[in-house]
Amino acid sequence: MRNQLWKKLLIAALVIILPVIAAFGSDLIAHRQLRNLPAAEHIDRTIPLSACTLAGASAADDASDETSDEWSEDEEWAEDEEWSEEEGLDEEGWDDEEAWDEEPAEETAAEDASPDAPAEEHAPAEPEELDIPSGSGALIIPCTGWVEDLTITAGSMFDQAYRVVCTLEDGSAVTRTSRYMSAMGQDTIHIGLRVTELRLSFPESGAAVTSIQVNNTLEHNPARMAFWGLATLAVCLLIVFRKAFGKHPEWVVAIIAATLGIWLCVFLPANTGVTYDDQVHARNAFALSYGPTTSRATLFSDNLGNLTWNVSINENSTHVADTWRDQKLVRAVMDGVKDDGVSKPEVYRWAFTDIGYTPISAGIAVSRLFGASNTSQIIWGRLFNLLAYTVLVCLAIRATKRFRLIFAALALMPGAFFQACCITYDATIIGLCFLGIALAVDAILDRETKLTWQRALAMMICLLLGGIVKTVYMPLMLMVWLLPRSKFDSDRQRWFFKLAATVIMVLAVLAMVRGVTSGTVALQDDRGNSPDTQAQIDFILHQPFTYLGYFFSFIWTYFNIYFVDVYRTSWAYLGSLTGTLNTVSLALLLFCAFTDNAPEDDRPMRWHQRLVLFIIFMMAVGMTFTTMYVAFSSVASPNFDGVQARYMIPVLPLMFMLLQPDGVKNRLRGDIWPTVFGVMNVVILGSMALSLTLNAFWL
Amino acid sequence: MKSARNGGRIFCVALAAAMLILAVAAWFVMTRYTTETELLIQQHRTGVGALTDAPVTQRFTVKRSGLTAVNAMVSTYNKKLHEGTLTLTLTDAQGTVVATQTWQAAELRNNAFVSLTLDQPAKAGVYTLAATGDCTEQKGITLRMGPLKEGAGEAVLTLADGTVDAEGNGLNITLDMRKTERGVLPASLLALVGLCAVAALPFGGKERKDA
């Protein structure tokens, strides 16, 4: 007894100590070179602008060749004839002291560095700024020694990429790139090299640099420490609780959600432009957070909705903050947006989608009660979203005796898990559909137990709520028709229940139609290829076989994308997992699908049940494709535009259940296989978090 | 034991009743008011002449209840005015003044709308908008007019000299109509959840446990 107690204490101590070691160890490793610096280099220092020189297209001589908008608007570079032809330019130009006096504050003194600048007019004082022209112009920064991070303060009208070419001690050069956001006025770029010189350039639009600072002080990176600590904690807990996973595989999902999930919620950019359409979701969630009858739009939620703090690159809205210093700055700017209460009322329409926003809005509202900052409200919204998703999925796993790991595998699929950590209603829909399907399928397979009122009620409500948010999932309610006769006390009870479910489904669809006709719900999406809703519906009704031909042909051609890849390892605008781990992820999912059948479970799925489930699955898929065809595609097009594979996720359990043969039994040890499953998911999710989040935004 | 056995049934009944009550409440509580604008004419083409003490009147039909404002397009002949006033008066079919307002000429912008707002939404019926002015500066103030839209209903324009326009013209006025949207969607959702409770009701009489 005492030995067992000591053993438990030791395990508990290891579970606490190992993550702490991992957290601080990761920071030690990351800063190992910084730690070895001599004391003189272990400080932050500002590089004087007077020591810097311009290279390439110099400011004075080649200014006329520059095509930067900043130059073209400049009225003061009047000495050059080409400049004097510009509208409103002062012809007196360089030699006129008055012209210099008239310069606006942002005018550069780069001519001080130019050999042709009239030296007698400009005292060799520290310039206020150095103007780096666009194109091939660069600022040579004399900097010798270790440079951990470089913070550049500059003025530019445009958001743009910039680069720093680092000349190493051996003469070779390494280029670092980052993005500068004009709204921030400052950017930090991670160098992490021992250099002899740095060359800073803003090729797109140029910039006026006012300060350059080398940051060499050792500061802990909270994101890195939290990541390694939580990942280690997840593995420790998966090992410690392995014996419980045989009976409670849902704990695997809960552990991963409580570790990596929380990390993602906190350290994903506290902004929109993270996942699909989250600028719309954020605006709606913030509006709902003030209540279903008194919603508001605020200056902050408007900015989120307009992607104010993002930079558009190739139709993607990316995030400029790639270091933890930038993250602090961006979050400070975002938190600085004050509304002094509510800035303006918004015409608000409660819609069915608000069901999906409820957890997020609850998190935002609760955090706001406690005075949370703007970015903290986003984080709390995500945390509540993750909590709701985890609870629903864990209940789904618990509610069924077969296919448990299928639900777990789908719930931990990176694409789905990522949605749970973002501001989007998809996570709640997925959770509700998973729970509804689990309750229904388990009831269908269990022919011996009568249907209880709890299960009947929960199943109906979950399928109703999940389907009414997106009507394409309403056909899932038809699963009640598969309930065997033995579940009911009488034929009357059986018919009553099945008909009631069907009537509820029809009424829900009619309610959705009412929403469309009242203008609350939009059916046509103008982002599509010249959609014409009415003409498209006419085409489908008048040429149904042609339409079905297009549909099945499209499904066959793109089956892999919609049902295998399924955005499985996609993190929306942040990127995707490719390579070996992507293959491992697919293999893990398929293995679970084919083998999730315990030897003691003797409840076969009969062929007619599989057939009906397949039909229901295809109905949901068909409705999804048809809805997007009507809203997005041009009339009578053979292509289905706008259909995203992630729309299939809520109904994927049906597809994977169909794959599982009754004759295949999983005899792997109940305490080993779930643990291996969990650790593999930690590795996959952790790798994605490392590459797409930590190393992208928290350098 | 009996009460325990009936617990499920009681819960389902209570849930259904609660959802029904909440649905009715949502229907009223989540009512939303929006404004739709209806036009009287297709396009304004000319003015009715400088407004004087003799009113220019426009009789028009409001087809449904909810009129909250009448907006009239004013013209100052593209001149900046400093003195004088414009007065709009809205009366119902019985001649009762529903709303009246006076604007200073200096605050008027050429070819812009002025809005005569009602204290409360008016019912459907026939109304008359009367416009008078006392600006003698420059060319004065006028209201714009143009051909009536199809389906404008009973609309009669009477000019200042008492002449009734016989060419199918009307003042360039727009009507702000309040549209009431009851909380249909939340009410329907709550009602559907109540129906789910009703569907589960037959299973609540006997408590069973899963295998």
Side-chain angles (χ1 to χ4, degrees), chain A residues 347-349 449-451 489, chain B residues 8 11 32 181 202 207-208 211:
Chain A
V347 175
Y348 176 72
R349 281 171 155 168
T449 310
K450 298 286 186 187
L451 189 63
D489 291 327
Chain B
F11 181 85
R32 207 172 63 89
E181 285 183 13
E207 297 298 328
R208 305 183 206 88

Side-chain angles (χ1 to χ4, degrees), chain A residues 292-293 347-352 355 401 442 446 448-457 460-461 464-465 468 477 487-489 493 496-497 500-501 503-505 507-508 511-512 514-515 518 520-521, chain B residues 4-9 11-12 15 27 29-34 179-182 184-211:
Chain A
T293 58
V347 175
Y348 176 72
R349 281 171 155 168
W350 192 94
F352 291 132
I355 297 170
K401 296 175 187 62
D442 189 69
D446 184 358
E448 295 171 359
T449 310
K450 298 286 186 187
L451 189 63
T452 63
W453 67 269
Q454 297 98 323
R455 183 169 287 256
L457 182 62
M460 299 274 284
I461 290 178
L464 170 68
L465 294 180
I468 208 167
M477 286 200 83
K487 304 292 291 184
F488 303 93
D489 291 327
Q493 189 186 68
F496 173 80
F497 182 69
V503 166
I504 290 171
M505 186 193 80
L507 290 175
M512 176 56 117
R514 176 68 177 85
S518 71
T520 308
V521 178
Chain B
R5 282 200 296 269
N6 286 332
R9 189 163 278 181
F11 181 85
C12 289
L15 181 62
W27 175 268
V29 170
M30 296 182 76
T31 296
R32 207 172 63 89
Y33 299 105
T34 56
K179 187 179 168 188
T180 302
E181 285 183 13
R182 297 291 177 190
V184 172
L185 295 186
S188 59
L189 176 69
L190 291 166
L192 287 169
V193 173
L195 282 179
C196 291
V198 170
L201 199 56
F203 303 98
K206 298 173 187 177
E207 297 298 328
R208 305 183 206 88
K209 288 186 180 178
D210 286 334

Side-chain angles (χ1 to χ4, degrees), chain A residues 485-559:
Chain A
R485 197 170 292 183
S486 56
K487 304 292 291 184
F488 303 93
D489 291 327
S490 64
D491 283 345
R492 187 175 166 189
Q493 189 186 68
R494 175 167 61 97
W495 282 108
F496 173 80
F497 182 69
K498 293 181 179 181
L499 285 173
T502 308
V503 166
I504 290 171
M505 186 193 80
V506 171
L507 290 175
V509 173
L510 290 176
M512 176 56 117
V513 171
R514 176 68 177 85
V516 171
T517 55
S518 71
T520 308
V521 178
L523 194 58
Q524 183 169 310
D525 194 321
D526 292 331
R527 294 173 297 174
N529 295 320
S530 308
D532 183 338
T533 308
Q534 191 55 52
Q536 196 73 300
I537 293 173
D538 288 343
F539 163 71
I540 294 171
L541 292 176
H542 288 103
Q543 299 185 57
F545 294 107
T546 305
Y547 171 70
L548 284 174
Y550 290 162
F551 171 67
F552 286 110
S553 170
F554 194 83
I555 292 285
W556 179 254
T557 304
Y558 297 105
F559 179 86

Side-chain angles (χ1 to χ4, degrees), chain B residues 61-147:
Chain B
T61 306
V62 177
K63 294 175 185 171
R64 58 183 174 90
S65 298
L67 177 68
T68 56
V70 177
N71 311 297
M73 179 177 270
V74 174
S75 172
T76 62
Y77 298 96
N78 207 21
K79 304 293 183 189
K80 175 68 179 169
L81 303 176
H82 302 90
E83 292 177 356
T85 59
L86 163 72
T87 301
L88 294 180
T89 303
L90 184 70
T91 55
D92 61 15
Q94 286 74 42
T96 308
V97 174
V98 177
T100 184
Q101 190 170 345
T102 299
W103 290 265
Q104 298 299 316
E107 63 186 351
L108 299 176
R109 285 174 47 224
N110 189 49
N111 282 359
F113 281 95
V114 292
S115 185
L116 177 62
T117 307
L118 281 63
D119 291 334
Q120 52 188 342
K123 296 179 183 177
V126 176
Y127 292 83
T128 300
L129 179 71
T132 57
D134 60 3
C135 177
T136 55
E137 188 183 348
Q138 304 277 7
K139 294 184 181 180
I141 305 168
T142 185
L143 297 182
R144 301 288 294 174
M145 70 177 195

